[in-house]
Amino acid sequence: MKLKSIFKVFLFAILIVACKEDVKEESLEKTATEFSFNVEQFADIKILRYQIPGWDNLTLKEQKLVYYLTEAGLAGRDIMWDQNYRHNLKIRRALENIYTTYSADDKSSDNWKAFETYLKRVWFSNGIHHHYSNDKLKPGFSEDYLNELLKATNTKLDGAAFNAIFDDKDIKKVNQAKGVDNVALSAVNFYGPDVTSEDVINFYKAKKSPNGDRPLSYGLNSQLIKEDGVLKERVYKSDGLYGEAIDNIIEWLGKARGVAENEAQGKAIDLLIKYYMTGDLQIWDDYNVAWTAATAGNVDYINSFIEVYNDPLGYRGSYENIVQINDFDMSEKMAVLSENAQWFEDNSPLMEEHKKDSVVGVTYKVVTVAGEAGDASPSTPIGVNLPNANWIRKEVGSKSVSLGNIINAYANAGSSGRLKEFVHDDEELHLEEEFGGLADKLHTALHEVIGHASGQLNKGVGETKETLKNYASTLEEGRADLVGLYYLYDSKLQELGLVEDWEKVGKAAFDGYIRNGLMSQLIRLNLGDDVEEAHMRNRQWVSAWAYEKGKADNVIEKVTRDGKTYYNINDYKKLHDLFGQLLRETQRIKSEGDFEAVEALVEGYGVKVDQILHAEVLERNKQFTSAPYSGFVNPVLVPETNDAGEIIAIKVTQPLGYPEQMLNYSKNYNHLPDVN
């Protein structure tokens, strides 16, 4: 499970690519003060870059492991494009051919600039739907202009793929609206065009795991279609759907296996290869058990079809890859959280029957990301907790990571100035400036390490994707957020040596969360839109619920001053208690599988937006030029070889620019046809 910040836009993406033909790069031999973290900005996107500190401290064998794992991730890049939408690969290739071959003199025209911006947005979203809102991207040029470009460059794009850019079909990649067929109205390519939500629910209801206490992740690695009216899974595997790309992934994983740091790590990679070859979900579980237990070494990774946010019903996993290097100093400082996981569980406000008697195998590390692909790039999370299977978390444990070098890149990329516009007063501003950064890092850690690892399902209750359906993801993210919020205002953090003033850190955390959830995150929505993205929903329903339930005691006050709206927390202790009450209720909903309750919570507090306030926030935001979303170009790993072709060194460089890297990826990791 991933953590994505909403207003502060903690998005990370590090992809290390091989030295291949036409790669343009610049040396990384710069001091920290000389390094530029900003690359370019367009539409609502800001592109950044980041460093990989500690690279030279790795042995050559460890560097090779990172390189091979990163290449394995990039080999599957096109899978994510096809998963996002059935026409994405054909559209991308046509647009890229125009971009690289069009030679007319009017590249300074508004039409051409609009074309460039559209292509950059498509690259960023891994397709023609916005990476966060899920809305179809709107081109700033006409059908006639695109036809002119196609003709001038002898590029073919017609029929449904051409029309998809301009028409009003498939307007939402993921449709989470209430009272509609979420599968039928979602453009994501996880289901055939005639498959309905009812089809999906009934299909998987009929499947029974061999061991009911250890349910298999049915649907995670397949596309569900209808053939002659009969539902059928197309499994992602070597000789199945996406087989060509998967074979390339397997090849690079095999090389990684040859330089594994230890036997436990090697065993996990072996099982991952076997899973890719067979598509067997029992092997997937075996792999996750082995991977969770493999905690030694300097290098780790996340690879395969994992997060289910892009499936409106939460069954199918999007392809992603993250390669990471352990930051030993920071990990040692933060290890106190995982070491005290049982204390946090025992002292939480959950009902006793919903607490785990024994929290096992929880590990937490601060890492330096060294490579990413698929759903993790260019827009990415700042924290991850895996595996997602509840039974593995309970019996074996989980791994949590915070991505330290990405957070550092954000901190050094410059401030937008929005903070001063939306804080209520100087006291709130001072708390944020002095303690906000630490509060954010601790919230990420508590969310991933303690939050996702806490609580348990009642015996006999199905997995949340089955019981809570399209609300499962936002409920889980909100629940983990609430765990973090509850303990951020607790003296235990100071007792553990994590903060020097727990009360001020807690106040900064509460201020930032309420400000974001009730107001500042609205800059990401078009006026009139509902909130649909799972993380945005959870921040709104947590904040709005607390605001409403605390009205009688004026816990959170809505202030209007000079025609502007602010939210001021008058009683942090009572807000802490409210967060505890909501945490208890969200865990009850999850533990009991209470669909009616989660629907009422999310629809009542997390979906609809106050349109007057939204219009005000958008107007106030116009003064700022900094884009609300950020992502990254990725460092490039350049291997040096001897006459025998053996790698003798690997150098870290930076790509010349964002378009250059995207074109390089499309050229060198082009492993799927237009239609799959």
Side-chain angles (χ1 to χ4, degrees), residues 353-369:
E353 61 268 30
H354 299 156
K355 295 180 181 180
K356 290 178 179 175
D357 294 332
S358 177
V359 180
V360 298
V362 177
T363 63
Y364 175 63
K365 293 180 180 179
V366 178
V367 300
T368 296
V369 178

Side-chain angles (χ1 to χ4, degrees), residues 15-26 55 63 66-68 70-71 74 252 255 634-641 645 647-655 660-661 664-665 667-669:
L15 288 168
I16 303 172
V17 296
C19 179
K20 302 206 174 184
E21 56 182 327
D22 298 334
V23 177
K24 296 179 180 180
E25 59 201 32
E26 58 185 19
W55 176 257
Q63 291 180 351
V66 171
Y67 171 67
Y68 294 146
T70 304
E71 288 294 298
L74 287 167
W252 286 106
K255 294 180 179 181
N634 312 296
V636 182
L637 276 187
V638 183
E640 299 178 11
T641 59
I647 295 176
I648 57 174
I650 300 176
K651 182 180 179 181
V652 180
T653 66
Q654 287 283 341
E660 290 83 356
Q661 181 160 90
N664 175 260
Y665 287 171
K667 181 174 185 177
N668 291 307
Y669 305 99

Side-chain angles (χ1 to χ4, degrees), residues 343-355:
W343 183 93
F344 288 108
E345 184 78 353
D346 293 342
N347 289 274
S348 74
L350 308 185
M351 299 179 188
E352 289 303 315
E353 61 268 30
H354 299 156
K355 295 180 181 180

Side-chain angles (χ1 to χ4, degrees), residues 564-575:
K564 296 181 179 182
T565 302
Y566 305 90
Y567 287 93
N568 185 53
I569 300 173
N570 292 315
D571 194 324
Y572 292 92
K573 177 63 172 67
K574 286 185 178 179
L575 181 55

